[in-house]
């Protein structure tokens, strides 16, 4: 069975002439909500999203699918916010427990079926955007237990589903920066759908507090910090970023990329970015190996190239599940030290207006300990809601 998930309308998809068995089009995607990050599809109604809208049965649809085809507008070498919305709403397809594949932690599959995955990223795209999508699609396939077919880059949506790539487009030359160092106004974007109770909120809060302390110790003025909550598509206005010479994007990794709400903000911000705005990232993730975050940094780097901003690098926190569990422990204690030191390095870069490099941070505990603790937590949450973790509507 072939399922197409696309951000084209039904009429546009029909115009491509591509055959399919099941489809999720722009109409359903627009009528649905973004994932809220509640994990109800694992611990309350395993295999089914708890949000009652047109996407709640996506995990079952993916489970029945042999060929999963994605047609998406190019969003800086990643999937568009709408196609991303669908993938995020489908994670109930996976089991919350872990497996190790290719030396890295991933979720267990609920069955041995191996669907195939193909992706068409339509619209103009640069070489670096194509390389970025290649890495994200590979990571998606690994996580879904799917085999990845050829990824294509048609110049126009009408060629989605075909075997033609459009011409490679060079990103615009970087404009003259109008932004001076050191920073005066720094936006702290919290793009976690879990908002104030998220690991992202904690990491950004820690950074804000430490930044103030370091400025006082150095007898210098701290830059003004502007909180910009962006829990879902449309929640934050690109206007809120105007006048900020530096922007720190805090987010959780969602399906190997920035969450759809953040991609949506980047798409809307693109045309009003002050040339030379410095963009940093502070990302965390559920799996252990922080290297899995790095393709999402490429999306942000491509955004900067397209928008005339400056990509300044960022911190990638592996084992994000530890963040809230250890927040009551000392900042430089054994459990928090690696992350706290990385945040301090990021603060130094932001304060001096310099690059932060790419800084992956491993959790302070061995992988097995992290895995056992996380799995025990999923079991406890399922028990509390009277759910069976191993059940799913299609099993
Ligand atoms: C829809 C969804 C997709 C996710 N995808 C990934 C992923 O691809 N890789 C990963 O390591 N963690 C993934 N996670 C886990 C989150 O990154 C992790 O729980 C993170 O710590 C949440 O951070 P927050 O509290 O700041 O939102 C996903 C979670 C959700 C809800």
């Amino acid at each position: 069975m072939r399922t197409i998930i696309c951000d084209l309308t039904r009429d546009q998809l029909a115009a491509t002439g591509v055959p399919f068995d099941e489809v999720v089009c722009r109409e359903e995607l627009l009528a649905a909500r973004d994932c809220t990050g509640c994990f109800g599809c694992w611990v309350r109604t395993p295999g089914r999203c708890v949000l009652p809208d047109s996407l709640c049965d996506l995990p079952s649809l993916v489970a029945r699918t042999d060929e999963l085809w994605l047609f998406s507008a190019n969003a800086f070498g990643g999937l568009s916010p709408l196609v991303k919305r669908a993938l995020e709403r489908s994670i109930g397809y996976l089991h919350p427990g872990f497996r190790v594949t290719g030396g890295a932690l991933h979720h267990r599959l609920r069955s041995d079926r191996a669907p195939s995955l193909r992706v068409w990223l339509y619209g103009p795209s640069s070489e670096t955007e194509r390389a970025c999508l290649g890495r994200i699609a590979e990571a998606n396939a690994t996580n879904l237990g799917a085999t990845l077919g050829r990824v294509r880059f048609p110049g126009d949506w009408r060629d989605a589903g075909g075997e033609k790539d459009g011409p490679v487009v060079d990103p615009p030359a970087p404009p003259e920066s109008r932004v001076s160092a050191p920073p005066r106004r720094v936006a702290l974007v919290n793009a976690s759908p879990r908002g104030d109770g998220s690991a992202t909120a904690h990491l950004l809060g820690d950074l804000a507090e430490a930044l103030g302390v370091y400025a006082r110790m150095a007898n210098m003025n701290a830059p003004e910090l502007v909180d910009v909550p962006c829990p879902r598509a449309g929640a934050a206005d690109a206007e809120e970023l105007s006048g900020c010479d530096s922007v720190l994007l805090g987010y959780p990794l969602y399906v190997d990329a920035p969450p759809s709400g953040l991609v949506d903000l980047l798409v809307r911000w693109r045309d009003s970015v002050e040339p030379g705005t410095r963009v940093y990232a502070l990302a965390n993730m559920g799996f252990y190996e922080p290297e899995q975050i790095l393709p999402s940094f490429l999306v942000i780097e491509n955004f900067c190239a397209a928008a005339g901003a400056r990509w300044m690098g960022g911190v990638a926190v592996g084992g994000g599940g530890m963040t809230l569990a250890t927040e009551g422990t000392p900042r430089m204690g054994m459990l928090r030290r690696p992350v706290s030191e990385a945040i301090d390095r990021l603060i130094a870069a932001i304060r001096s207006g310099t690059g932060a490099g790419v800084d992956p941070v491993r959790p302070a505990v061995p992988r097995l300990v992290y895995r056992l603790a996380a799995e025990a937590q999923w079991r406890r949450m399922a028990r509390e809601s009277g759910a069976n973790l191993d059940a799913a509507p299609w099993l």
Side-chain angles (χ1 to χ4, degrees):
M1 178 178 119
R2 176 182 299 160
T3 299
I4 296 180
I5 298 177
C6 66
D7 51 16
L8 304 178
T9 63
R10 279 180 182 269
D11 288 348
Q12 285 175 322
L13 182 63
T16 66
V18 178
F20 55 82
D21 301 292
E22 295 280 349
V23 70
V24 180
C25 279
R26 185 174 198 86
E27 288 85 349
E28 290 84 57
L29 295 170
L30 283 174
R33 291 169 57 188
D34 276 337
C35 171
T36 60
C38 74
F39 295 115
C41 59
W42 281 341
V43 298
R44 286 169 57 198
T45 55
R48 191 165 196 271
C49 177
V50 295
L51 299 177
D53 63 23
S54 54
L55 299 185
C56 66
D57 284 322
L58 262 186
S60 293
L61 179 59
V62 175
R64 285 185 282 120
T65 294
D66 305 299
E67 295 179 2
L68 180 59
W69 286 17
L70 308 178
F71 297 174
S72 169
N74 173 22
F76 316 115
L79 299 170
S80 69
L82 284 181
V83 173
K84 200 77 221 313
R85 170 178 288 171
L87 292 192
E88 293 170 7
R89 293 287 302 278
S90 66
I91 62 159
Y93 166 69
L94 300 168
H95 190 288
F98 295 114
R99 66 189 161 117
V100 176
T101 309
L105 212 57
H106 295 279
H107 284 295
R108 270 173 53 197
L109 303 169
R110 291 187 187 273
S111 74
D112 293 337
R113 290 176 76 255
S116 65
L117 173 68
R118 291 207 61 185
V119 187
W120 282 260
L121 199 72
Y122 67 81
S125 56
S126 66
E127 206 62 80
T128 53
E129 287 174 329
R130 292 179 185 201
C132 174
L133 194 268
R135 286 182 61 181
I136 290 176
E138 259 174 45
N140 288 164
T142 303
N143 277 328
L144 288 172
T147 51
L148 182 63
R150 190 116 194 216
V151 175
R152 287 290 182 194
F153 302 92
D156 188 273
W157 62 264
R158 290 173 188 80
D159 295 322
E163 297 302 340
K164 257 191 355 213
D165 285 336
V168 173
V169 173
D170 288 333
E176 194 79 359
S177 172
R178 290 197 230 129
V179 169
S180 60
R184 281 194 292 270
R185 200 159 190 253
V186 182
L188 303 182
V189 177
N190 178 356
S192 168
R194 303 200 301 165
D196 289 345
S198 63
T200 301
H202 172 82
L203 295 169
L204 290 174
D206 181 65
L207 178 137
E209 193 181 331
L211 192 145
V213 171
Y214 291 133
R216 275 198 299 282
M217 280 165 55
N219 217 5
M220 288 169 73
N221 286 336
E224 181 192 354
L225 301 180
V226 183
D227 287 324
V228 180
C230 177
R232 64 191 156 277
D237 197 326
E239 278 276 294
E240 295 173 60
L241 302 174
S242 75
C244 294
D245 46 56
S246 308
V247 173
L248 173 59
L249 301 174
Y251 64 91
L253 191 69
Y254 267 25
V255 196
D256 305 297
S260 69
L262 178 54
V263 183
D264 178 74
L265 177 65
L266 296 180
V267 169
R268 286 181 294 113
W269 185 31
R270 175 195 172 130
D271 293 329
S272 57
V273 170
E274 182 75 8
T277 300
R278 291 181 286 271
V279 177
Y280 298 86
L282 174 52
N284 87 96
M285 63 189 288
F287 294 144
Y288 187 84
E289 294 80 11
E291 292 75 17
Q292 293 190 42
I293 288 178
L294 303 189
S296 75
F297 282 2
L298 297 179
V299 173
I300 298 172
E301 188 172 357
N302 289 329
F303 159 78
C304 291
R310 282 172 66 198
W311 166 238
M312 306 301 283
V315 172
V317 177
M322 280 183 65
T323 308
L324 296 177
T326 60
E327 70 178 334
T329 67
R331 187 169 190 268
M332 285 298 169
M334 200 268 278
L335 293 174
R336 286 180 59 194
R337 190 180 186 106
V339 176
S340 303
E341 288 180 344
I343 287 183
D344 287 351
R345 290 191 289 275
L346 183 57
I347 290 171
I350 293 174
R351 282 184 63 208
S352 55
T354 55
V358 167
D359 199 351
V361 188
R362 286 205 157 225
V365 298
R367 183 166 71 188
L368 183 63
V369 173
Y370 181 75
R371 173 181 180 165
L372 293 175
E375 290 181 337
Q377 193 200 7
W378 295 128
R379 279 197 298 276
R380 181 183 52 74
M381 289 166 79
R383 216 173 27 248
E384 282 170 8
S385 59
N388 172 6
L389 276 190
D390 299 321
W394 62 90
L395 293 175

